[in-house]
């Protein structure tokens, strides 16, 4: 990751992106979420938004196989549950078929869903999966969450929280509070993960929450952490729509 810069103002493009979505009274689509996260120098994967099967196959070739394909719809937040995700696609024909299959599955799951296209994304090499999130509590305001992925968050609820704004010390303390820390510091044959990269992600999400009170929730799950750096594989950004004006 590039050196941290939490003093820079949010980009005008990011601000317009959020304003447009709120005007349309919807949350950010995943391609839009990637644009927002990229504006904060968060490690988004190589990706392309496509509108048909031919474009999807071409995107796979441009990105480089293997790739994943995810349906894009303002009405489907949980794409996997709607059958809207295909992984480890290794040739153009597989990507074309995946586009048609995910659209058919999404329509079957929700007939009235607006399907605007699909996102073709690079497949990540294996690493240690972590989760970063942000929510707004009525009493405490914006809070940032960190945890390890998989069973650690699903069963053990092994997570740490801090109130925004985060200082560098807060981010590092959060990482060391989780009980599964050994998964990130080197365990048996697992190499250590880049703890500094995680800290920078936490600080950037904190800054984003400060810059945009319109953002109600951020869910970055999973983020794959390597010995150097990391890669964000799935992103959801929910907006506060109650006061959005047309």
């Amino acid at each position: 990751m590039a050196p941290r810069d939490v003093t820079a103002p949010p980009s005008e493009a990011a601000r317009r992106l959020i304003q447009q979505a709120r005007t349309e009274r919807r949350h950010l689509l995943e391609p839009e979420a990637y644009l927002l996260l990229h504006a904060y120098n968060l490690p988004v994967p190589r990706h392309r938004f496509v509108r048909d099967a031919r474009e999807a196959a071409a995107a796979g070739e441009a990105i480089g196989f293997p790739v994943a394909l995810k349906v894009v719809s303002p009405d489907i937040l949980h794409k996997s549950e709607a059958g809207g995700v295909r992984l480890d696609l290794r040739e153009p024909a597989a990507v074309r078929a995946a586009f048609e299959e995910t659209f058919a599955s999404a329509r079957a799951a929700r007939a009235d869903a607006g399907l605007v296209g699909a996102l073709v994304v690079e497949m990540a090499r294996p690493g240690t999966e972590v989760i970063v999130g942000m929510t707004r509590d009525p009493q405490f305001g914006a809070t940032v969450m960190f945890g390890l992925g998989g069973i650690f968050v699903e069963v053990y609820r092994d997570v740490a929280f801090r109130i925004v704004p985060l200082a560098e010390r807060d981010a590092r303390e959060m990482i060391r509070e989780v009980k599964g820390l050994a998964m990130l510091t080197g365990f048996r044959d697992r190499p250590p993960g880049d703890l500094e990269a995680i800290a920078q992600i936490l600080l950037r999400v904190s800054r984003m929450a400060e810059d945009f009170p319109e953002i109600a929730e951020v869910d970055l799950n999973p983020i794959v952490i390597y010995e150097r750096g990391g890669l964000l594989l799935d992103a959801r950004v929910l907006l506060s729509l109650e006061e959005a004006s047309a």
Side-chain angles (χ1 to χ4, degrees), residues 123-173:
M123 289 287 296
R125 57 189 173 88
T128 301
E129 293 187 0
V130 304
I131 296 171
V132 172
M134 188 282 294
T135 58
R136 294 190 187 272
D137 182 88
Q139 182 176 359
F140 298 107
T143 59
V144 173
M145 179 270 286
F146 168 74
L148 294 182
I151 191 171
F152 289 95
V153 69
E154 293 174 7
V155 177
Y156 300 123
R157 304 297 180 188
D158 186 17
V159 295
F161 292 89
R162 286 295 187 282
I163 297 173
V164 169
L166 268 63
E168 291 195 19
R169 181 182 66 181
D170 297 320
R172 295 190 175 97
E173 286 178 351

Side-chain angles (χ1 to χ4, degrees), residues 9-229:
S11 72
E12 186 58 32
R15 191 173 297 282
R16 288 197 303 268
L17 196 70
I18 290 175
Q19 288 175 342
Q20 179 64 30
R22 294 188 79 230
T23 297
E24 297 174 4
R25 301 193 63 80
R26 61 173 176 81
H27 303 297
L28 292 188
L29 303 173
E30 191 165 13
E32 296 171 326
Y34 279 0
L35 288 173
L36 173 65
L37 299 170
H38 178 72
Y40 282 84
N41 201 27
L42 286 158
V44 300
R46 288 175 291 148
H47 63 279
R48 288 195 177 186
F49 173 70
V50 298
R51 297 187 181 277
D52 58 39
R54 181 187 58 80
E55 286 186 0
E61 292 186 291
I63 292 170
F65 297 108
V67 296
L69 184 141
K70 299 186 276 187
V71 70
V72 175
S73 168
D75 304 309
I76 299 177
L77 294 179
H78 302 286
K79 296 177 287 292
S80 295
E81 295 176 9
V85 178
R86 295 293 186 275
L87 303 175
D88 201 29
L89 307 171
R90 295 182 172 272
E91 60 181 8
V95 179
R96 286 193 295 269
F99 185 95
E100 303 295 348
E101 290 168 3
T102 55
F103 264 53
S105 296
R107 289 193 184 98
R110 182 168 175 178
D112 63 340
L115 305 179
V116 299
L119 195 63
V120 180
V121 188
E122 67 171 302
M123 289 287 296
R125 57 189 173 88
T128 301
E129 293 187 0
V130 304
I131 296 171
V132 172
M134 188 282 294
T135 58
R136 294 190 187 272
D137 182 88
Q139 182 176 359
F140 298 107
T143 59
V144 173
M145 179 270 286
F146 168 74
L148 294 182
I151 191 171
F152 289 95
V153 69
E154 293 174 7
V155 177
Y156 300 123
R157 304 297 180 188
D158 186 17
V159 295
F161 292 89
R162 286 295 187 282
I163 297 173
V164 169
L166 268 63
E168 291 195 19
R169 181 182 66 181
D170 297 320
R172 295 190 175 97
E173 286 178 351
M174 289 175 71
I175 297 167
R176 297 195 173 277
E177 280 180 12
V178 297
K179 298 179 180 66
L181 177 63
M183 301 294 289
L184 287 166
T185 57
F187 179 74
R188 294 185 178 178
D189 60 343
R190 299 176 69 95
D194 190 339
L195 301 187
E196 182 60 23
I198 299 173
Q200 299 306 321
I201 292 171
L202 292 168
L203 290 166
R204 293 173 188 278
V205 170
S206 172
R207 177 57 194 266
M208 187 166 62
E210 285 188 88
D211 289 341
F212 292 108
E214 307 96 321
I215 297 177
E217 181 180 333
V218 176
D219 185 15
L220 310 181
N221 177 25
I223 303 169
V224 182
I225 299 299
Y226 303 114
E227 289 185 81
R228 292 194 60 184

